[in-house]
């Protein structure tokens, strides 16, 4: 861990240098009020540095919405298809919650059966994080994901005229050593401004969720009628899951070609709010109604994952709140379960 | 072993789904190699109406003659697959099913229909209202890759695995801005079956629901969302019935899910 500072005017040079380590991806503005990860086009002005949440989070770089796992052939057997697996990718502009979400996914995909599709890509990805200022939907602080001490190669904190450059890995060190002229040592003023930034950001959180004792409370609230009320509003459209940086469920399906000899095995993002998710042979469904499916999602984030890995699976990015057409609000719902007055 | 036999038929519809089969130009020879096409009036001569393994039927049923034809196809076919939204949900021709047919006919044709048997029609209905349907390939028109995938799966004894979730999921795959939430557009994505690759929203056009409802379509919630955005009840009902007019207004407003039992 070392810290440097870089004047903002050097950002183009910094990004140019990043290009030596692979393809650089940045958040860009999309439509009226959305952002998307896209390949850097060389224009610094096109980077949405103020973007808080892209429509789809960074997970799409390791874990594709729909991808071929392998191709099969009656005579030649299986061929693993992972065309862009060996591509070096640099993510510039991921925030603290995003970096925490990668750790959350790493835990899952490194489980009993290591997921090579995920890790082959993951190891080739360079993480360059940037600081942010929360909006009314951000609750990462409540989820303990508002700051990062590890999990990145470089982290840029916006201090006005310059960035504080946090170097978090040896690859990060290589990157700053590639262009030593643009960095300066931190000084007293940097420290002062950094602490000011931290305090200001800390005070900016409007959305707060008390997570203490939440797993127990959720246990007690298992039969709360609110689950079914929310289930009646839920469209099962899948948006909350698709945009969630820590949702990882997938579905596997085989397709066959007209020759009846060759085909492909696919996997595709799935969602526990879908009817088919808990549907088994014979038409039996473990979660028959929508309220039960919604409850399952919440309980998995705040209870089951925590039991396995010691922290909640939610990083508080606010994407599911923004993306729900029916205005179902994760935080409001959990507040209601805690007995706090809300509009859920 | 003889090749499995198929037939492709059209009832009331624009024939676009059948055309899309013919448009599978790169795969037509493979299709012809894999199956014995007994009947496909739009594509070939010398058709034989005999027992077939799979019947693909496009269009809604809108008169007695078609009803009889469909019953005959069902009797001869091992599997019956509805192709397109008309065959599955009634399609655009069912959008005014809430207007009495006699009134609608009079409005459109005036006195010219007098004594002409051609006008003897009833409210268009999906195939499932007349016969047992084994599978639906929805779409207006159907997607070519899905038709080919369905044929290949059926040839191997499997029901095809086409998307069963809502369009929103596919729209998210495309990383589009949500037109419903961010632009307050009238979008039927949350209640419409995916499979088109979110073609319209990817081009900044809200979903019109041309693929028909998702398996458990929560129309009630969609109606509430649209009312909140300021759309009138009449407008909402009109939009929702464009492609799925056979779902009654009662179902659209009620607090219940519109379910279909066909995969």
């Amino acid at each position: 861990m070392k810290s440097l500072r870089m004047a903002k005017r050097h950002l183009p040079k910094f990004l140019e240098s990043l290009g030596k380590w692979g393809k650089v991806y940045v958040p860009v503005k999309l439509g009226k009020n959305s952002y998307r990860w896209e390949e850097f086009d060389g224009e610094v002005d096109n980077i949405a540095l103020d973007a808080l949440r892209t429509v789809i989070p960074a997970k799409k770089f390791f874990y594709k919405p729909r991808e071929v796992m392998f191709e099969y052939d009656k005579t030649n057997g299986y061929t693993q298809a992972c065309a862009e697996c060996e591509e070096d990718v640099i993510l510039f502009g991921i925030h603290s919650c995003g970096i925490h979400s990668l750790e959350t996914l790493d835990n899952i995909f490194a489980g009993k059966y290591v997921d090579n599709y995920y890790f082959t890509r993951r190891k080739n990805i360079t993480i360059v994080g940037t600081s942010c200022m929360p909006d009314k939907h951000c609750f990462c602080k409540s989820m303990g994901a508002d700051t990062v001490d590890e999990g990145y190669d470089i982290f840029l904190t916006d201090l006005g005229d310059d960035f504080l450059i946090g170097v978090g890995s040896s690859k990060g060190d290589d990157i700053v050593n590639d262009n030593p002229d643009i960095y300066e040592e931190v000084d007293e003023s940097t420290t002062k401004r950094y602490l000011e930034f931290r305090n200001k950001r800390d005070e900016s959180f409007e959305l707060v969720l008390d997570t203490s004792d939440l797993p127990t409370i959720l246990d007690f609230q298992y039969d709360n009628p609110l689950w079914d009320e929310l289930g009646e509003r839920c469209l099962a459209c899948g948006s909350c899951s698709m945009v969630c940086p820590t949702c990882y469920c997938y579905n596997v399906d085989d397709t066959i070609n007209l020759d009846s000899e060759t085909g492909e095995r696919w996997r595709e993002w799935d969602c526990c709010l879908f009817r088919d998710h808990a549907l088994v042979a014979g038409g039996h469904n473990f979660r028959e109604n929508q309220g039960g499916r919604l409850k399952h999602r919440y309980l998995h984030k705040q209870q089951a994952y925590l039991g396995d890995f010691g922290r909640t699976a939610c990083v508080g990015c606010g994407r599911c709140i923004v993306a729900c057409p029916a205005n179902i609000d994760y935080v409001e719902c959990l507040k209601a379960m805690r007995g706090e007055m809300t509009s859920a | 072993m003889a090749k499995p036999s198929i037939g492709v038929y059209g009832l009331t519809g624009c024939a676009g789904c059948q055309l899309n089969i013919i448009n599978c130009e790169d795969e037509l020879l493979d299709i012809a190699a894999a199956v014995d096409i007994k009947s496909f009036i739009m594509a070939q001569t010398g058709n034989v109406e005999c027992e077939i393994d799979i019947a693909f039927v496009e269009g809604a049923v809108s008169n007695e003659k078609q009803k009889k034809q469909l019953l005959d196809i069902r009797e001869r076919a091992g599997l019956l697959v509805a192709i397109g939204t008309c065959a599955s949900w009634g399609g655009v021709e069912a959008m005014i099913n809430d207007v009495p047919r006699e009134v609608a006919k009079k409005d459109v044709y005036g006195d010219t229909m007098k004594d002409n048997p051609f006008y003897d029609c009833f409210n268009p209905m999906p195939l499932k209202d007349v016969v047992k349907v084994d599978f639906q390939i929805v779409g207006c028109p159907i997607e070519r890759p899905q038709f080919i995938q369905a044929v290949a799966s059926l040839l191997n004894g499997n029901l095809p695995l086409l998307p069963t979730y809502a369009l929103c999921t596919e729209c998210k795959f495309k990383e589009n801005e949500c037109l419903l939430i961010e632009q307050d557009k009238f979008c039927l994505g949350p209640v419409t079956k995916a499979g088109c690759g979110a073609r319209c929203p990817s081009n900044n056009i809200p979903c019109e629901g041309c693929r028909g409802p998702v398996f458990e379509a929560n129309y009630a919630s969609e109606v509430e969302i649209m009312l909140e955005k300021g759309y009138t009840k009449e407008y909402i009902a009109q939009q929702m019935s464009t492609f799925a007019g056979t779902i009654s207004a009662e179902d659209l407003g009620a607090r219940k899910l519109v379910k279909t039992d066909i995969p």
Side-chain angles (χ1 to χ4, degrees), chain A residues 30-34 36 56 60 232-235 237 239 243 255-256 260 268 274-276 293 323 325, chain B residues 31 148-149 152 156 161 164-165 168-169 172-177 181-182 215-216 218 221 225 255:
Chain A
L30 169 74
K32 284 191 174 161
N33 197 26
S34 311
R36 169 155 71 190
I56 293 292
K60 70 160 185 170
E232 281 205 347
R233 276 160 58 193
C234 176
L235 294 141
C237 71
S239 293
V243 303
T255 58
I256 191 158
S260 290
E268 182 176 84
F274 293 162
R275 169 189 161 272
D276 299 5
R293 294 170 200 158
Chain B
I31 295 173
I148 292 162
Q149 198 195 321
N156 286 280
L161 286 167
T164 52
Y165 44 75
C168 297
T169 289
K172 291 292 174 285
F173 287 1
K174 290 286 169 78
E175 300 176 75
N176 294 325
E177 172 165 79
I181 293 168
E182 302 297 347
F215 193 90
E216 289 179 350
N218 193 345
S221 184
I225 291 165
R255 257 239 171 272

